[in-house]
Each structure stands twice: as structure tokens, then as C-alpha cells.
């Protein structure tokens, strides 16, 4: 460990010890200079300029698209580079993020490789969906889909605001509407409405409303809302936003539930858990939210004619992986691949030297995000329930087949 790394950690360690929530944040100008030792893992030894964000080409597809486009809204679970354009600490534009991606360069995805919507795009016969903030404004850049997701974003406008700029759900919906207006101006109203109505909209958001809002008791929210009331509030807000999309002719929506964040390495560290025992109190909140969202989706399906809305329970799919980790080939269940401290959950992934050599046997990539291997399994379940059924009332493949009739 060189002197700059020692200096940085001497500064960071007492800060994180005195206030554990600050382990989610870091001073960028300090972290840029950290080097923790020699790098021996091939792509990890790329020079500093490798942190330059690249918009990756998609693998060659050998069949026509099943739908016109895929549009993505959400948080860091599906952010593909939005936050690269924002003033925020919630960025994944440096190695080791992206080290196992197709380009072996960081793109802004909070993962070592692909995120779930990358795998789903390929299933749909579409290219990787580019970020809304990274496109040039031409219809050709947007016509097969856009990704509006922003790390740190929540259903509540201010969730995650302590990390810096982000695009909240309400703002993402507005960006979607702006995109639709561009479609109408370019291709005409009928053609634009047809494209929107046949496309898939994937929404994955809500985690930050717990991590960066309720669990931190921002604005004394816990004294105002019991967990169930807070969950109901979030679900009702989601319902209104999905209705706004429906009123703009959106008809096919995949709503992702929350993963078991009580099993994330950060909370295992924070609550001093032994043997990978998840934090039940947090997971119970997630279960309640997912229950409320599944009921909300059922209500919307009844209320909105011609709407195809499915709910995919990420908690159910993730717990299947955790409980049956041997069957899936994971032998590291409670430690992140990249980070520092117990469970590698104390300090977030900020240097290639913090990362393990082999991500394929890890469930968790960093404090909160799963590895590429887990993302692929979850995407397979969303698509067809390949490993376990987690989507209701049908999976995405069935939705597309139903629409084709």
C-alpha cells in the first residue's frame, strides 16, 4: 500500500467509524488518488484513461426484434450510465466497475458486467439500451429504446439527495414524455403511439427510499410513518406514475420488486451479523413493499383496459439464489467481491485493488449490487421463469406471446 492510499484511509477510517452511513459516500478528489497496491488481474491493470465512459456496441443479433423498443426507468439496479453526466458521488465510471463487461471498461453500470436489462434486451432482439442523457437527440438513437434510470434515485423525490444529483422517478417520467413528443414530431402521432404501445417499459426502483431515506430516518420519517404505511405510500405513488405512462399510450410494463437488501454486505457489516444472517427487520419491510406492489399491479390490470402489467418479485428470485447457492455455483454468499471491512461491506468499491479475482462464485459485487452472474439468473427468471417463477401473473416471454396473438 503506497503513501497516498495510507493517507486516504487514515482520513476515511475515522469518518466511517463515527458515522457508518458515510461509508455510502466518498470525496471523489481523494478517491481518485487512491492506489492500494499492485494489480495483477489483466483488465484491472488498465491505465487511468480506461475510466473514460464508453457506450458499448451490442452483440450481433440473429433474429428480428420481438418488440420495437425497450424503455428502462429506475435506480442503480438498471442505471447504464446516466449518472456519468451528473454531479454525484453515485457513479460507476471507474474500474473495477465494468471489468467483466463486453468492453472490459466501466460504462456507469453498478456491476462487474451486465445488468438485468442488458440480458433482457438481447432476449428481445434489441441492442443494449443507451442512456437518455448520452444520446444525441436523433430519432435513430432513441427508436429502439432509452434508459432513464439514475443511481440514487427513488420513488420519493429527495431520496438519495445526499449523494448529489440524480434523476428521480418523477423526473424520469417527464423525460419519457419529452421523448414521446420527439417521436410524435418526427414520425407522426399514429406511428409514435403505435411504437409506444408495442414497446416494453421496465421499472426497477424503490431501494433508495429505504437505504437513503426511511432507514436513515430522514426528516424523522419513522415517527410519521410506520413501515406498512410507508410502503403503502410508495406503492400508491408508483400506481399514479404508471397511470401517467398508461395515459401516454404505454401498455406493456414490467415492475420489478425489491431485492433482499437486508442480506446486502453493507447491512451485514452495519448490524454485525455472523454467518451471513440477513437483517430480518429490513427484509420484512421489503417483503411488505413487494406485497403492496403486487396488489397494486393487480389493481392496475383491472382498472386499465388493454394494459399488460406484470410484477416480478426480485426478493423471491434473489432468496432462491441465496438459499440454493451451491446449485447455482456460488460459494461466497455474504461477502461482496469488492469493498473493505467485514463482509467487504464497510467501504464501497472504489479501487481495483479492493476487488476479488473471481466474481463468478460471488453473489454480491459490492455493498448493495449483485454480480453479473446473479443479474443473468434474475433476467432469465423475468423472461421465462427458467430457474424459479417470480413474475405474476405471467413472465415477459408469455406477455409478448399473448400480444402476438
Amino acid at each position: 500500500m503506497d503513501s497516498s492510499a495510507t493517507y486516504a484511509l487514515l482520513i476515511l477510517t475515522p469518518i466511517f467509524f463515527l458515522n457508518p452511513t458515510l461509508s455510502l459516500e466518498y470525496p471523489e478528489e481523494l478517491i481518485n488518488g487512491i492506489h492500494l497496491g499492485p494489480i495483477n488481474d489483466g483488465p484491472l491493470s488498465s491505465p487511468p484513461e480506461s475510466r473514460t465512459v464508453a457506450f458499448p456496441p451490442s452483440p450481433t443479433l440473429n433474429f428480428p426484434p420481438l418488440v420495437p423498443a425497450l424503455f428502462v426507468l429506475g435506480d442503480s439496479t438498471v442505471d447504464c450510465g446516466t449518472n456519468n453526466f451528473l454531479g454525484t458521488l453515485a457513479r460507476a465510471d471507474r474500474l473495477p466497475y465494468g471489468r467483466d463487461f463486453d468492453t472490459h471498461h466501466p460504462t456507469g453500470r453498478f456491476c462487474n458486467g451486465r445488468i438485468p436489462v442488458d440480458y433482457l434486451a438481447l432476449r428481445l432482439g434489441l441492442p443494449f439500451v443507451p442512456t437518455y442523457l448520452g444520446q444525441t437527440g436523433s430519432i435513430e438513437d432513441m427508436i429502439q429504446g432509452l434508459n432513464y434510470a439514475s443511481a440514487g434515485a427513488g420513488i420519493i423525490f429527495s431520496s438519495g439527495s445526499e449523494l448529489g444529483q440524480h434523476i428521480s422517478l418523477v423526473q424520469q417520467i417527464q423525460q419519457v414524455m419529452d421523448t414521446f413528443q420527439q417521436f410524435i414530431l418526427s414520425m407522426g402521432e399514429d406511428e409514435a403511439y403505435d411504437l409506444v404501445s408495442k414497446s416494453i417499459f421496465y421499472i426497477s426502483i424503490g431501494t433508495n427510499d429505504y437505504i437513503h431515506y426511511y432507514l436513515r430516518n430522514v426528516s424523522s420519517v419513522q415517527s410519521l410513518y410506520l413501515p406498512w404505511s410507508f410502503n403503502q405510500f410508495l406503492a400508491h405513488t408508483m400506481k399514479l406514475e404508471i397511470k401517467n405512462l398508461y395515459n401516454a399510450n404505454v401498455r406493456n410494463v414490467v415492475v420489478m420488486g425489491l431485492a433482499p437488501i437486508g442480506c446486502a454486505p453493507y447491512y451485514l457489516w452495519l448490524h454485525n451479523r455472523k454467518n451471513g444472517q440477513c437483517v430480518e427487520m429490513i427484509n420484512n419491510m421489503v417483503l411488505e413493499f413487494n406485497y403492496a406492489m403486487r396488489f397494486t399491479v393487480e389493481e392496475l390490470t383491472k382498472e386499465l383496459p388493454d394494459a399488460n402489467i406484470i410484477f416480478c418479485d426480485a426478493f423471491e428470485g434473489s432468496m432462491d439464489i441465496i438459499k440454493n447457492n451451491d446449485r447455482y455455483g456460488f460459494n461466497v454468499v455474504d461477502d461482496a467481491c469488492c469493498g473493505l471491512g467485514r463482509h467487504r461491506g464497510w467501504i464501497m468499491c472504489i479501487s481495483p485493488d479492493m476487488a476479488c479475482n473471481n466474481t463468478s462464485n460471488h453473489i454480491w459485487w459490492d455493498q448493495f449490487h449483485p454480480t453479473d452472474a446473479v443479474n443473468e439468473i434474475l433476467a432469465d427468471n423475468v423472461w421465462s421463469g427458467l430457474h424459479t417463477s417470480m413474475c405474476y401473473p405471467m413472465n415477459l416471454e408469455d406477455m409478448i406471446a399473448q400480444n402476438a396473438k
Side-chain angles (χ1 to χ4, degrees):
M1 182 180 294
D2 63 21
S3 59
S4 65
T6 303
Y7 172 71
L9 290 179
L10 283 173
I11 294 175
L12 292 174
T13 298
I15 294 174
F16 295 150
F17 180 78
L18 292 171
N19 188 351
T21 61
L22 287 180
S23 67
L24 307 181
E25 311 167 32
Y26 56 94
E28 187 168 8
E29 67 278 5
L30 183 62
I31 298 308
N32 281 337
I34 290 182
H35 175 65
L36 299 177
I39 304 170
N40 300 308
D41 285 338
L44 292 183
S45 60
S46 302
E49 57 266 23
S50 67
R51 294 202 306 263
T52 302
V53 176
F55 294 99
S58 299
T60 302
L61 304 172
N62 298 316
F63 59 94
L66 301 178
V67 294
L70 172 64
F71 296 93
V72 181
L73 301 92
D75 52 28
S76 60
T77 57
V78 286
D79 186 345
C80 71
T82 296
N83 280 28
N84 296 342
F85 299 89
L86 304 178
T88 176
L89 298 175
R91 295 168 72 116
D93 58 345
R94 56 167 55 82
L95 289 171
Y97 287 95
R99 74 179 201 185
D100 301 315
F101 190 68
D102 299 55
T103 59
H104 300 292
H105 288 282
T107 61
R109 289 163 171 81
F110 284 76
C111 185
N112 61 299
R114 295 176 180 177
I115 52 179
V117 289
D118 293 328
Y119 289 107
L120 291 175
L122 298 181
R123 289 281 195 178
L124 294 168
L126 295 169
F128 292 151
V129 182
T131 174
Y132 172 79
L133 294 185
Q135 47 88 28
T136 63
S138 69
I139 293 300
E140 289 72 22
D141 285 346
M142 302 186 288
I143 201 166
Q144 288 190 299
L146 288 170
N147 188 323
Y148 307 87
S150 173
I155 299 169
I156 297 171
F157 183 84
S158 59
S159 292
S161 59
E162 77 276 8
L163 299 176
Q165 292 180 316
H166 66 264
I167 313 297
S168 70
L169 178 61
V170 172
Q171 293 170 315
Q172 291 178 41
I173 297 289
Q174 184 56 57
Q175 290 177 337
V176 170
M177 299 306 169
D178 292 343
T179 301
F180 291 174
Q181 288 300 312
Q182 289 179 272
F183 285 164
I184 291 171
L185 292 173
S186 177
M187 61 182 70
E189 192 170 280
D190 291 343
E191 190 175 345
Y193 281 173
D194 185 64
L195 184 150
V196 169
S197 68
K198 292 178 179 177
S199 296
I200 302 295
F201 287 76
Y202 184 103
I203 306 175
S204 177
I205 199 165
T207 299
N208 292 310
D209 296 295
Y210 296 93
I211 294 175
H212 293 294
Y213 197 83
Y214 194 85
L215 294 174
R216 295 181 69 238
N217 199 24
V218 174
S219 302
S220 301
V221 63
Q222 293 177 15
S223 65
L224 301 174
Y225 291 94
L226 293 173
W228 176 245
S229 299
F230 185 70
N231 291 329
Q232 290 287 95
F233 169 74
L234 295 180
H236 178 70
T237 305
M238 282 284 287
K239 183 176 184 179
L240 295 178
E241 296 303 340
I242 293 172
K243 281 187 172 181
N244 287 336
L245 290 173
Y246 177 85
N247 292 334
N249 221 44
V250 171
R251 292 296 180 267
N252 305 301
V253 181
V254 177
V255 179
M256 285 297 292
L258 305 186
I261 57 177
C263 301
Y266 172 75
Y267 286 113
L268 298 186
W269 165 77
L270 185 64
H271 291 264
N272 196 26
R273 290 305 166 115
K274 308 294 185 183
N275 302 319
Q277 183 183 4
C278 301
V279 182
E280 189 175 356
M281 175 271 294
I282 297 175
N283 278 351
N284 284 342
M285 293 182 64
V286 171
L287 282 169
E288 289 180 353
F289 172 80
N290 286 353
Y291 177 83
M293 276 310 308
R294 181 173 172 179
F295 179 75
T296 297
V297 166
E298 291 174 356
E299 283 186 324
L300 286 168
T301 301
K302 294 175 183 177
E303 295 174 14
L304 305 177
D306 302 322
N308 296 306
I309 308 173
I310 63 176
F311 172 77
C312 295
D313 194 332
F315 186 99
E316 189 173 342
S318 299
M319 289 306 296
D320 177 65
I321 296 171
I322 292 172
K323 292 178 179 178
N324 301 292
N325 58 290
D326 289 337
R327 175 160 62 90
Y328 289 104
F330 300 115
N331 55 31
V332 184
V333 176
D334 50 358
D335 290 354
C337 172
C338 188
L340 283 182
R342 190 177 58 254
H343 302 296
R344 294 196 176 188
W346 175 38
I347 298 178
M348 66 181 296
C349 181
I350 54 178
S351 167
D353 304 295
M354 292 181 174
C356 65
N357 292 323
N358 179 18
T359 56
S360 65
N361 62 354
H362 281 67
I363 288 178
W364 297 98
W365 163 245
D366 63 12
Q367 287 179 312
F368 295 108
H369 304 99
T371 58
D372 171 285
V374 171
N375 285 336
E376 183 175 13
I377 294 169
L378 294 177
D380 286 340
N381 290 339
V382 172
W383 176 249
S384 65
L386 178 63
H387 307 283
T388 188
S389 178
M390 57 179 258
C391 295
Y392 309 93
M394 67 187 82
N395 55 50
L396 181 54
E397 185 179 35
D398 291 338
M399 177 200 284
I400 293 170
Q402 177 176 287
N403 290 343
K405 293 179 181 179

